[in-house]
């Protein structure tokens, strides 16, 4: 039997056999102690991987000064998940489950998604490694505890806020135009206060909110010392703000009791607390009441007008990209670009009478009704054939995900064996190189498959479009809201004489405005 001598490699192989790790950190508030904690976590993970031969730290994702009860509020967490989906990360380290998620549902959803991508997570405090699937029950339990803790903290904070509102000690946390915030109190800013008085005076003298906003923009009036763009909505909010008569209304919004916490307009579901004469007023109560009366009369004049119009947020300006809004004049409906309506010098698009838009849709609809078999069916067939060619000979996406996950787990096991001294460096490199090659091949196949997702959605929408016209028995002579809502995603006003209809399935058709 020959004597075997292992010749150690002279060149260290990089990256291709090294597990790419990420660290996720999160702190709960903006206090100084928590900032120090944030810095400590960042420093800890930076040093943790310095001397590792099998793992490399590719990035530290750290959300600072947020509550963490909703994952869509954590920008760094979302960035980390995107990098995971792009194949940049193999393993995630985090201090605890409560740092990773405070919502059991989100915690499990993300853990399962990462598991399907072949990415494992180590929760250091609980000593849970998702490489071991039996730990999922433990994650559920710990995630539930973290959620309960977060809910309890939130309830305690809300209780203290409610008590302060009830006993009259509640302080403001943000100022409004015309005031500055000093130790939680609103203090008058004379220069801005004069502008507030002028806004109320203009409105009482017949100027609309759009006209007032235009005047302020033309004068380059700043807000809190910074350049801003005044809008009719901003002026409207100022005109109804009770703070300008020295009062304050608390709990205009309230937070839901369950995770994920959301702020909702308080329409009478919760108590509100009105503080009278809490600070120096800018306008008199008499002027304020007159403005409220005018606003109420203006609102009454629009009763009966349909605000949730089927074309709302569907019509876009081809010149500036803004959405169009509905305007009523002399009992006729018009659609006008929001930018042009506010500042005509910034966009030259003209208003369009609604009946011209609906007539254009009727003509397009009838053309498709008579010709969809010649236009849509061949397109559907071509997409079907493309899908068959692409998928022939390829495995199912989930099966490939599972296989990649299994191979990556094998690389983690090899890394642990090498770290504990059970596997020499040469054998480790040989086996991990082979596993890396298999993973790379599977990921290439996966890319080919996932690239077809958009095409699948397009095909599905084309089939819906065909099905829609097949069920229709005759062309239309009058505008049908349901028809436009079913097949049109948006309408672009190319110019005053032409509309571009964007249908479901990515189809675009132009139609003249007559």
């Amino acid at each position: 039997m020959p004597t075997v001598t292992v010749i150690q490699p002279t060149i260290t192989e990089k990256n291709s056999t090294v597990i790419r790790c990420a660290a996720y950190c999160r702190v709960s508030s903006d206090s100084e102690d928590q900032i120090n904690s944030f810095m400590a976590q960042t420093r800890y993970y930076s040093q943790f991987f310095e001397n590792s031969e099998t793992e490399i730290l590719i990035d530290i994702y750290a959300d600072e000064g947020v509550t963490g009860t909703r994952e869509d509020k954590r920008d760094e967490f979302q960035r980390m998940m995107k990098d995971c989906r792009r194949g940049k990360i193999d393993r995630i380290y985090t201090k605890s489950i409560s740092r990773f998620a405070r919502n059991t549902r989100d915690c499990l959803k993300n853990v399962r998604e990462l598991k399907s991508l072949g990415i494992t997570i180590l929760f250091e405090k609980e000593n849970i490694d998702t490489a071991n699937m039996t730990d999922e029950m433990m994650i559920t339990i710990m995630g539930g505890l973290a959620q309960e803790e977060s809910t309890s903290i939130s309830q305690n904070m809300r209780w203290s806020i409610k008590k302060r509102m009830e006993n009259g000690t509640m302080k403001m946390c943000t100022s409004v135009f015309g005031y500055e915030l000093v130790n939680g109190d609103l203090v008058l800013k004379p220069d801005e206060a004069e502008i507030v008085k002028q806004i109320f005076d203009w409105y009482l003298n017949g100027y609309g909110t759009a006209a007032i906003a235009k005047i302020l923009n033309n004068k380059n009036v700043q807000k809190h010392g910074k350049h801003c763009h005044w809008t009719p909505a901003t002026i409207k909010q100022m005109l109804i703000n009770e703070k300008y008569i020295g009062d304050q209304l608390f709990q205009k919004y309230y937070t839901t009791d369950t995770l994920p916490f959301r702020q909702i307009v308080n329409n009478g579901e919760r108590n509100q607390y009105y503080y009278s004469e809490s600070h120096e007023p800018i306008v008199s109560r008499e002027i304020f009441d007159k403005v409220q009366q005018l606003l109420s009369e203006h609102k009454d004049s629009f009763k009966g007008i349909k605000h949730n119009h089927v074309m709302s947020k569907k019509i876009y300006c081809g010149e500036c990209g803004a959405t169009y809004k509905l305007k009523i004049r002399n009992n006729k409906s018009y659609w006008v670009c929001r930018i042009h309506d506010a500042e005509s010098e910034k966009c030259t698009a003209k208003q369009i009478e609604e009946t011209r838009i609906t007539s254009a849709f009727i003509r397009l609809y009838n053309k498709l009704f008579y010709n969809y078999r010649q236009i849509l069916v061949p397109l559907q067939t071509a997409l079907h054939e493309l899908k068959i060619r692409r998928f022939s000979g390829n495995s199912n996406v989930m099966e490939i995900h599972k296989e990649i996950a299994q191979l990556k787990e094998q690389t983690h096991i090899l890394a642990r064996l090498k770290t504990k001294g059970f596997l020499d460096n040469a054998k480790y490199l040989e086996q991990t190189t082979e596993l890396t090659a298999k993973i790379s091949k599977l990921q290439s196949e996966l890319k080919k498959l996932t690239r077809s997702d958009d095409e699948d959605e397009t095909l599905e929408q084309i089939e819906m479009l065909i099905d829609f016209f097949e069920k229709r028995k005759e062309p239309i002579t009058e505008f049908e809201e349901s028809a436009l809502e079913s097949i049109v995603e948006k309408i672009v006003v190319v110019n005053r004489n032409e509309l571009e209809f964007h249908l479901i399935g990515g189809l675009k058709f132009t139609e003249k405005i007559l």
Side-chain angles (χ1 to χ4, degrees):
M1 189 174 188
T3 301
V4 178
T5 302
V6 177
I7 302 172
Q8 298 295 334
T10 57
I11 299 174
T12 303
E13 188 168 355
K14 298 179 182 179
N15 293 337
S16 61
T17 58
V18 173
I19 297 170
R20 299 164 300 170
C21 299
Y24 178 69
C25 316
R26 186 180 56 76
V27 293
S28 303
S29 75
D30 291 317
S31 69
E32 187 177 346
D33 287 342
Q34 289 291 359
I35 295 297
N36 291 335
S37 172
F38 167 80
M39 295 302 295
Q41 288 182 67
T42 305
R43 188 164 53 250
Y44 165 74
Y45 284 115
S46 297
Q47 295 170 353
F48 184 83
F49 294 93
E50 274 184 355
N51 300 319
S52 176
E53 296 180 2
T54 58
E55 295 179 320
I56 183 172
L57 181 65
I58 64 162
D59 207 346
I60 296 175
Y61 303 83
D63 282 308
E64 186 176 348
V66 292
T67 64
T69 54
R70 287 179 58 184
E71 67 175 60
D72 60 353
K73 297 289 184 183
R74 294 186 282 160
D75 294 337
E76 284 290 278
F77 184 85
Q78 293 300 327
R79 184 171 73 88
M80 180 183 72
M81 292 299 292
K82 285 180 181 177
D83 285 348
C84 287
R85 295 178 189 116
R86 291 168 181 164
K88 296 181 179 180
I89 299 170
D90 300 319
R91 185 165 173 79
I92 297 171
Y93 282 81
T94 189
K95 193 169 181 65
S96 66
I97 290 175
S98 63
R99 299 283 179 187
F100 187 77
R102 289 202 174 176
N103 181 318
T104 306
R105 183 192 64 186
D106 289 340
C107 181
L108 278 177
K109 179 192 70 158
N110 291 318
V111 167
R112 286 168 178 159
E113 180 183 355
L114 292 169
K115 190 76 177 176
S116 72
L117 295 171
I119 299 166
T120 59
I121 314 167
L122 177 65
F123 301 99
E124 296 181 71
K125 180 180 176 182
E126 296 84 9
N127 194 26
I128 295 174
D129 191 340
T130 61
N132 183 357
M133 280 301 292
T134 58
D135 285 339
E136 186 163 312
M137 182 60 71
M138 183 60 73
I139 292 168
T140 306
I141 296 168
M142 298 305 293
L145 291 173
Q147 176 172 326
E148 192 63 34
E149 179 186 3
S150 179
T151 304
S152 176
I153 292 169
S154 175
Q155 287 173 346
N156 290 339
M157 289 179 66
R158 276 188 277 178
W159 181 85
S160 67
I161 292 169
K162 182 182 176 184
K163 285 299 176 185
R164 276 179 280 159
M165 287 191 291
E166 287 176 348
N167 60 32
T169 59
M170 188 69 186
K171 296 289 186 180
M172 291 291 296
C173 56
T174 57
S175 64
V176 293
F177 185 78
Y179 294 94
E180 61 181 331
L181 203 63
V182 179
N183 297 323
D185 296 318
L186 293 175
V187 178
L188 216 65
K189 290 181 72 175
D191 54 338
E192 292 185 357
E194 286 302 316
I195 296 170
V196 173
K197 289 179 182 178
Q198 185 68 72
I199 289 171
F200 276 81
D201 186 58
W202 278 330
Y203 193 77
L204 286 176
N205 282 282
Y207 288 81
T209 54
I212 295 172
K214 187 174 182 179
I215 292 171
L216 295 176
N217 285 322
N218 289 339
K219 291 185 174 183
N220 293 317
V221 174
Q222 296 184 332
K223 188 184 290 185
H224 304 307
K226 297 179 182 178
H227 175 74
C228 74
H229 178 74
W230 295 85
T231 66
T234 304
I235 303 301
K236 172 74 178 298
Q237 285 301 117
M238 291 177 69
L239 293 172
I240 63 173
N241 197 330
E242 78 288 343
K243 293 179 182 65
Y244 292 123
I245 53 171
D247 298 347
Q248 290 186 57
L249 176 63
F250 287 102
Q251 199 152 283
K252 293 177 181 178
Y253 298 84
Y254 67 91
T255 306
T256 55
D257 295 323
T258 56
L259 287 163
F261 298 132
R262 292 178 297 111
Q263 274 206 332
I264 296 175
V265 176
N266 187 358
N267 291 315
E269 296 86 355
R270 303 288 172 89
N271 289 339
Q272 291 185 319
Y273 304 88
Y274 196 90
Y275 292 11
S276 298
E277 301 179 0
S278 63
H279 54 272
E280 186 178 354
I282 293 178
V283 297
S284 68
R285 293 182 184 273
E286 182 184 2
I287 289 175
F288 188 81
D289 289 342
K290 285 181 180 179
V291 167
Q292 304 318 300
Q293 180 63 33
L294 275 177
L295 287 168
S296 178
E297 291 172 1
H298 185 259
K299 183 178 179 181
D300 289 341
S301 69
F302 279 88
K303 280 184 177 178
I305 296 174
K306 195 172 182 181
H307 293 288
N308 57 337
H309 197 286
V310 68
M311 284 190 276
S312 293
K313 297 183 180 179
K314 271 187 183 286
I315 308 177
Y316 291 81
C317 178
E319 182 177 335
C320 69
T323 55
Y324 272 52
K325 70 176 184 179
L326 179 65
K327 298 194 79 172
I328 311 293
R329 190 169 63 253
N330 298 327
N331 293 323
K332 284 189 177 182
S333 298
Y334 296 87
W335 288 87
V336 59
C337 169
R338 292 177 184 275
I339 299 296
H340 174 82
D341 191 51
E343 298 175 79
S344 57
E345 65 275 8
K346 289 190 176 181
C347 179
T348 61
K350 303 297 183 183
Q351 65 182 17
I352 304 173
E353 194 173 338
E354 183 174 284
T355 54
R356 294 190 174 188
I357 299 174
T358 56
S359 296
F361 172 71
I362 292 170
R363 290 195 300 277
L364 173 66
Y365 174 95
N366 290 335
K367 288 175 184 177
L368 286 172
F369 175 79
Y370 286 116
N371 300 288
Y372 77 90
R373 290 185 179 85
Q374 290 76 33
I375 299 171
L376 303 179
V377 175
L379 178 60
Q380 178 196 30
T381 304
L383 286 172
H384 262 303
E385 290 175 353
L386 180 63
K387 179 181 177 181
I388 292 169
R389 285 199 302 271
R390 175 160 286 176
F391 276 88
S392 60
N394 284 312
S395 305
N396 182 273
V397 170
M398 287 309 297
E399 289 301 318
I400 294 178
H401 272 309
K402 287 179 183 177
E403 197 170 345
I404 290 173
Q406 290 169 359
L407 292 171
K408 285 189 176 182
E409 177 55 26
Q410 290 179 41
T411 64
H412 297 161
I413 293 170
L414 289 173
R416 289 197 289 269
L417 289 173
K418 182 180 181 298
T419 302
K420 292 178 180 179
F422 295 123
L423 192 66
D424 62 59
N425 197 49
K427 197 66 177 175
Y428 171 75
L429 287 174
E430 179 189 338
Q431 293 189 16
T432 52
T433 300
E434 184 180 347
L435 289 172
T436 302
K438 289 180 179 178
I439 291 170
S440 181
K441 183 179 178 183
L442 287 169
Q443 286 176 335
S444 295
E445 289 183 34
L446 194 58
K447 282 181 181 178
K448 292 177 184 177
L449 287 175
T450 53
R451 243 185 260 129
S452 66
D453 288 347
D454 291 341
E455 291 173 9
D456 284 345
E457 186 178 352
T458 299
L459 179 58
E460 185 180 336
Q461 290 180 343
I462 294 295
E463 289 171 348
M464 288 170 58
L465 206 53
I466 292 171
D467 185 58
F468 173 84
F469 283 106
E470 282 182 342
K471 289 178 180 177
R472 309 291 288 195
K473 295 181 180 179
E474 55 188 21
I476 59 174
T477 55
E478 295 182 354
F479 176 64
E480 292 184 12
E481 288 189 2
S482 60
L484 184 136
E485 199 166 18
S486 297
I487 67 173
V488 176
E489 288 189 338
K490 71 176 183 178
I491 304 168
V492 177
V493 181
V494 180
N495 52 54
R496 204 171 184 183
N497 301 309
E498 193 173 55
L499 297 175
E500 185 177 71
F501 289 88
H502 293 233
L503 308 189
I504 58 173
L507 299 176
K508 300 177 186 178
F509 296 95
T510 57
E511 194 65 44
K512 294 290 183 184
I513 301 174
L514 303 178

